[in-house]
Each structure stands twice: as C-alpha cells, then as structure tokens.
Amino acid sequence: MCLCHSYIPPDLTQTTLVPLLKNKSGDVTDTNNNRAIALSSCLSKLFEFLILTCKSHDTCHDDDYQFGYKKNHFTSLGFATLKHVVDYYRFHGSYVFVCFLDLSKAFDSVDHTCLFKELVKLKLPDNVVKLLINWYSNQLMNVRWKQIQSDNFYMKNGTRQGSALSPYLFTVYMRCVTKDVIQAGIGCHIGNKPVCILLDDIVILAPSWCAQQCLLNVCADSITKLGCRSMCLNQLP
C-alpha cells in the first residue's frame, strides 16, 4: 500500500453522533441513558480496511492473549482457555485464583498521545503511522439530535466508534498491560507458556491470592501509565 503523504480530506475525518435512548421511559437528560451511534462516510470505512491490511507488518505476539475483536477468534475460545487452565491446576492439586476486570468506557478513554507512541514502536510503514496520527489528531465530530445538528468539534481522545481500525488500535494500546503482567512471572503457567492474562476484558489468573493481588497492582500501574484518567478498572463479582 502506497500513501504518498499523510493528508486526509476533511470528509473522511467527519463523524456524526446520533444519541439513542436505552430506556425510553427513563430520564432523557441522563447521559448514561443514551447510547451514541456513529455515522461516517462509506469511503472512510473502505479506507480503514485498506490501512488494516498493513498490520501484517506487525510482528508482536502479545495479541495471543486477545480473544475478542480478532479475526477467527471468539470469546468462547477465551472461556475454553480459562476452563483448561483451571482444570490443569486443579488436576495437579493446586488452586487457581481468577479475577475478572472490566475497563470502564475503554474505547472512549484511549489517550491519543500514548496511542501515537505505541504506533511509532510498530514495524508498520512510516507513512501509514504518520497517516494514522494525522487522522486521529484531526477527527471532527458533531451531534445530531432529532432535526438539530451541533457545530463540529475535535475529538481529543478515544478511538473511532464503529471503525474497522478501532479494535486493532485498542489492542495495540493495551499491549503494555499484557506485557507487564506476563513479565511479572508470578501468574499461572502451563509448561513454559504464561496463561496469567486473557483479554477482551481482562481476566487475571494466579496460583495464589498473594500473586493475584500483585498482578492486580501491576494492572493498575499499567493503566495509570497509559494516561487514561477516565479509564477505570472495575472488579466484577
């Protein structure tokens, strides 16, 4: 793919958000009762698929622990992996401590500066990286409510909703969390293979409660390093 420069026409960076009520009998002024649908041009979507083909240059293997938003992978594979790890440890007479974490508003909380730093580290073509940085630095959005449309504003954080690129970019963004947890070396292993973290949301697996607490601290520190002021780790029951 040849991209001679990083300029993107404004029509490709424009997105319109249309709020939809989750509960029509609820409070229409409550932002938590609204779910935004992003409308962008068909041309921008095709362009994203073209850019996505360049990820073949990305040789990182940290995505082996990602089961959602990944081609030929399903969250059911993550469940099967989790069950296999638990069965393996129980068969060998050991406990397994499992903690499920939810990233609150994860896609919307991506810090662009941190994302750009991660993109620069990749072995993608330089012009593709520059194009992505240009695109995300100049995203224009507006909100349409019934027959009224707001003025344009720039989106300074988050990945593009409904974008074919967003799942991949978010995976790249979260690699440091996976890397930090694995390098801690205290989570579950099968043979020489670490199986201490599973993603779409985050699942932490450890052979002791002490190790699990240490890995939770590692996760919290990694999230903080990403600069996600609004991204929260919520422990699920």
Side-chain angles (χ1 to χ4, degrees):
M1 179 180 181
C2 179
L3 299 170
C4 58
H5 51 70
S6 60
Y7 172 75
I8 300 178
D11 288 347
L12 269 66
T13 65
Q14 179 70 59
T15 301
T16 297
L17 295 178
V18 180
L20 297 179
L21 287 174
K22 297 178 182 179
N23 180 8
K24 294 183 178 180
S25 61
D27 184 1
V28 296
T29 63
D30 183 2
T31 55
N32 294 319
N33 192 32
N34 287 272
R35 177 168 56 94
I37 301 299
L39 305 178
S40 56
S41 70
C42 293
L43 185 59
S44 69
K45 294 181 181 296
L46 290 173
F47 194 41
E48 287 171 349
F49 278 110
L50 288 175
I51 298 174
L52 199 58
T53 61
C54 296
K55 76 173 185 177
S56 59
H57 295 268
D58 183 1
T59 57
C60 180
H61 296 291
D62 289 342
D63 298 345
D64 292 346
Y65 300 90
Q66 178 74 41
F67 293 93
Y69 310 115
K70 188 175 178 183
K71 186 177 181 180
N72 298 325
H73 286 69
F74 310 94
T75 53
S76 57
L77 293 177
F79 297 147
T81 302
L82 173 62
K83 183 178 184 302
H84 179 68
V85 174
V86 172
D87 290 345
Y88 176 86
Y89 270 76
R90 294 301 302 273
F91 178 78
H92 288 84
S94 175
Y95 290 106
V96 180
F97 291 79
V98 182
C99 186
F100 297 84
L101 303 173
D102 175 43
L103 291 173
S104 178
K105 299 181 179 179
F107 274 44
D108 296 334
S109 302
V110 170
D111 183 281
H112 286 172
T113 301
C114 293
L115 176 60
F116 298 159
K117 289 179 179 178
E118 294 302 316
L119 288 175
V120 170
K121 295 177 185 178
L122 301 181
K123 295 182 178 180
L124 301 177
D126 289 344
N127 53 354
V128 173
V129 174
K130 291 178 181 178
L131 185 146
L132 288 173
I133 292 175
N134 181 287
W135 199 344
Y136 268 75
S137 298
N138 295 281
Q139 294 183 88
L140 283 173
M141 306 192 75
N142 58 48
V143 178
R144 189 173 70 202
W145 177 256
K146 296 184 178 180
Q147 304 301 319
I148 302 174
Q149 189 156 307
S150 73
D151 294 332
N152 288 331
F153 57 91
Y154 285 102
M155 189 175 78
K156 297 298 184 179
N157 60 277
T159 55
R160 289 166 56 85
Q161 185 187 19
S163 164
L165 278 171
S166 290
Y168 172 68
L169 293 178
F170 184 74
T171 299
V172 170
Y173 183 71
M174 292 295 294
R175 281 176 181 171
C176 66
V177 178
T178 303
K179 182 178 179 180
D180 288 347
V181 170
I182 291 173
Q183 289 186 342
I186 56 176
C188 288
H189 285 68
I190 294 182
N192 294 323
K193 180 69 173 179
V195 283
C196 50
I197 184 170
L198 305 174
L199 301 169
D200 173 22
D201 282 328
I202 300 177
V203 182
I204 300 295
L205 302 97
S208 70
W209 68 265
C210 184
Q212 185 185 69
Q213 184 60 61
C214 289
L215 292 182
L216 290 175
N217 293 340
V218 169
C219 276
D221 290 342
S222 294
I223 293 295
T224 301
K225 286 190 296 185
L226 284 175
C228 307
R229 295 181 179 85
S230 59
M231 185 184 289
C232 300
L233 278 174
N234 301 318
Q235 185 170 337
L236 301 181

